[in-house]
Amino acid sequence: MLQNIELEQFQEMVEPPESEPDRQYYFIAMARKLTAQLEKQQKRKLTYCVTTFGCQMNARDSEKLTGILELAGYEAATEDMADLVIYNTCTVRDNANQRVYGRLGNLNSMKKKTPHKKIALCGCMMQEPSVIETIKKSYSFVDLIFGTHNIYKFPELLVAMLTTEDMIIDIWKDTDQIVENLPVERKYAFKSGINIMFGCNNFCSYCIVPYVRGRERSRNPKDIIKEIKDLVAEGVVEVMLLGQNVNSYGKNLEEPMTFAELLRGIEKIDGLKRIRFMTSHPKDLSDELIQVMKESKKICRHLHLPLQSGSTRILKAMNRVYTKESYLELACKLRKEIPDLSITTDIIVGFPGETKEDVDETIDVVKRVQYDNAFTFIYSKRTGTPAAAMENQVPQEEVKENFDRLLKVVQETARERVRLLTGQTAEALVEEINEQDETLVTGRLSNNTLVHFKGDSSLIGKIVPVKLKECKGFYYLGEMI
Ligand code: SAH
Ligand code: SF4
Ligand code: F3S
């Protein structure tokens, strides 16, 4: 991250530089001048509150927004107090959208009481033209709207917002640009998400992500390795490599490389203790990757391998490009090669045309694979996706019945699977003080299971051996040894 001193050089420039990220540093310097003036008037610091909806990509984007705001002179506050509220939105399922609209209603009443409060919206939902129309019509008090492709331009947009009363809308359809080296404010000191690629080319027929995140673009491996080395120098011991489909990493680079090759490079970074990644698409999971995972001392024993459906017929309609049999074969191979691997998954119930028999097939896969955890979702119709135009949408009651049936099996098998480690000792990375009982800390095992045990804040960020004494369903109570 650039230091304050370096920001001064941008403060003296008359024109914004053309090249990125310098241009954005120029606008951060300008925003800082503006916030300093407001600070003087109000005799207090300006404050912000960023709320994140959706996945880890959005969480990482929010860390970038926060990094920029902190450098521009803002400090964190609660939503009701903040001078600037940002919602980084998700649109993967309709309930994510509804939550945003609900909370916007509350913000409207807050803004009526404190009219200087600024409200900005960004993220995936903003890439949908119909959402922009709704906001313009029913939520006209919003000050700034931007999308996923121009998030790196936030400093420039922030300055524009601070110098006008009009609503600013800046949405791009797509981009091939990747801007490196913008400031980031991490949520955790000891672990961090790292984008290795952006966008998605898979176009699963139910999914809106390719439309709102654009085409797949991989970051240059040198930039990724440098970012991780810098993070390790700052005390990070665990990284989570992020992409919608990490297994296709590197295909569109000038010098193509595989995800497994990238992992080999990251493994060599001194001081880095743990490597995680998500998400893996089953269609691209190579033997080379399994081998690298097997040989690695740092790659965690956890693989998130979304199934979506266990019915080959439905998988075809979903455009997932694998069958029930090929998925099971892959899971079998993984179990054989890496026996201590925990496998988790995502499943959708109620895809158009799905019958009770299709759900039986999904349940069969759940029973056979024995997932450590499965996130089950009710199908949500996303405008513009091929599945939304399919005629055979399943009635709600039927979906609910199938969903409950599946959930029961998922919970039973996950319980069985998670408790297999009872009595063993495993390494846990201590993440935080337990929310319910402050004499306990919460640690994460390599396989992603949580364990709570006696300890204090001095342990946070350390990897310690813990005896897993009692399994409480989906987590353990343990004792540090
Ligand atoms: N790229 C990841 C998934 C990103 S979205 C992958 O391919 O696995 C996270 C999960 O949301 C998906 O795995 C899917 O299970 C779910 N999902 C996506 N679109 C959905 C929709 N329209 N309705 C319900 N669930 C959906
Ligand atoms: Fe969506 Fe499929 Fe891409 Fe995942 S791989 S983001 S489910 S289109
Ligand atoms: Fe949601 Fe966008 Fe992630 S739609 S799941 S926040 S990529």
Side-chain angles (χ1 to χ4, degrees), residues 295-334:
E295 286 161 12
S296 170
K297 297 265 179 303
K298 297 185 180 177
I299 300 175
C300 289
R301 289 313 190 227
H302 173 219
L303 184 71
H304 188 63
L305 192 65
L307 168 69
Q308 313 301 2
S309 166
S311 151
T312 298
R313 192 178 69 86
I314 295 294
L315 285 169
K316 190 149 192 278
M318 286 178 162
N319 191 28
R320 289 292 287 181
V321 207
Y322 52 85
T323 61
K324 177 185 183 185
E325 289 69 31
S326 67
Y327 185 99
L328 281 171
E329 215 172 284
L330 179 60
C332 226
K333 199 187 311 176
L334 285 160

Side-chain angles (χ1 to χ4, degrees), residues 200 202-204 206-207 209-210 244 281 320:
C200 180
N202 288 317
F203 289 95
C204 302
Y206 51 81
C207 184
V209 172
Q244 292 300 350
H281 195 304
R320 289 292 287 181

Side-chain angles (χ1 to χ4, degrees), residues 361-378:
E361 300 266 15
T362 304
I363 290 176
D364 184 43
V365 177
V366 171
K367 284 184 175 156
R368 293 212 214 174
V369 176
Q370 294 276 303
Y371 295 107
D372 274 67
N373 198 0
F375 300 93
T376 45
F377 304 109
I378 288 185

Side-chain angles (χ1 to χ4, degrees), residues 1 27 29 38 68 106 132 158 167 203 243 333 339 347 376 406 409 428 438:
M1 199 202 279
F27 281 106
L38 291 166
I68 290 164
N106 290 344
I132 303 299
L158 179 66
M167 186 194 264
F203 289 95
K333 199 187 311 176
I347 298 170
T376 45
L406 170 69
V409 181
E438 59 183 33

Side-chain angles (χ1 to χ4, degrees), residues 188 190 429-435 440-443 450 460-461:
Y188 297 97
F190 54 88
L429 170 59
V430 182
E431 296 198 336
E432 56 201 2
I433 299 285
N434 187 293
E435 271 178 26
L440 300 178
V441 290
T442 299
L450 295 179
I460 293 175

Side-chain angles (χ1 to χ4, degrees), residues 83-287:
D83 298 299
L84 168 60
V85 173
I86 304 183
Y87 285 174
N88 189 6
T89 62
C90 168
T91 186
V92 77
R93 287 170 291 275
D94 189 52
N95 52 11
N97 297 43
Q98 294 316 320
R99 275 173 58 213
V100 169
Y101 287 132
R103 289 186 57 165
L104 273 177
N106 290 344
L107 280 186
N108 193 12
S109 357
M110 283 186 213
K111 189 154 173 161
K112 280 192 183 131
K113 279 185 231 145
T114 45
H116 75 275
K117 198 179 186 84
K118 297 276 185 190
I119 293 162
L121 302 176
C122 63
C124 296
M125 206 175 143
M126 300 305 130
Q127 291 295 138
E128 290 184 274
S130 62
V131 169
I132 303 299
E133 286 316 306
T134 307
I135 293 169
K136 279 205 270 191
K137 215 167 73 206
S138 312
Y139 304 88
S140 56
F141 57 89
V142 170
D143 298 283
L144 167 65
I145 303 176
F146 56 103
T148 56
H149 302 303
N150 56 348
I151 187 163
Y152 74 85
K153 257 187 75 186
F154 176 55
E156 199 165 341
L157 295 165
L158 179 66
V159 168
M161 186 196 76
L162 289 170
T163 47
T164 178
E165 288 300 311
D166 300 333
M167 186 194 264
I168 300 167
I169 304 179
D170 191 10
I171 308 286
W172 297 1
K173 271 212 151 83
D174 207 345
T175 183
D176 51 13
Q177 207 163 355
I178 296 178
V179 178
E180 298 286 347
N181 296 323
L182 280 166
V184 181
E185 182 71 25
R186 270 180 289 114
K187 191 169 167 200
Y188 297 97
F190 54 88
K191 68 170 184 176
S192 180
I194 315 274
N195 301 105
I196 62 164
M197 57 207 299
F198 301 93
C200 180
N201 284 354
N202 288 317
F203 289 95
C204 302
S205 64
Y206 51 81
C207 184
I208 200 162
V209 172
Y211 304 88
V212 295
R213 285 273 172 179
R215 294 294 62 72
E216 191 178 286
R217 304 165 311 279
S218 294
R219 271 179 82 195
N220 192 314
K222 286 200 188 81
D223 291 329
I224 298 171
I225 303 254
K226 178 172 183 310
E227 184 178 351
I228 301 178
K229 281 187 176 161
D230 290 348
L231 286 168
V232 170
E234 289 172 20
V236 164
V237 291
E238 178 179 297
V239 291
M240 165 77 90
L241 311 176
L242 300 171
Q244 292 300 350
N245 176 13
V246 291
N247 299 338
S248 72
Y249 171 81
K251 284 187 182 152
N252 58 358
L253 285 171
E254 258 173 44
E255 289 171 47
M257 73 185 292
T258 63
F259 179 51
E261 282 165 348
L262 176 72
L263 282 172
R264 278 205 191 96
I266 296 175
E267 173 100 18
K268 290 196 196 110
I269 298 175
D270 274 341
L272 179 67
K273 306 253 168 64
R274 283 179 166 188
I275 305 168
R276 299 184 184 277
F277 51 83
M278 77 186 306
T279 299
S280 287
H281 195 304
K283 81 179 162 74
D284 300 313
L285 202 147
S286 66
D287 288 348

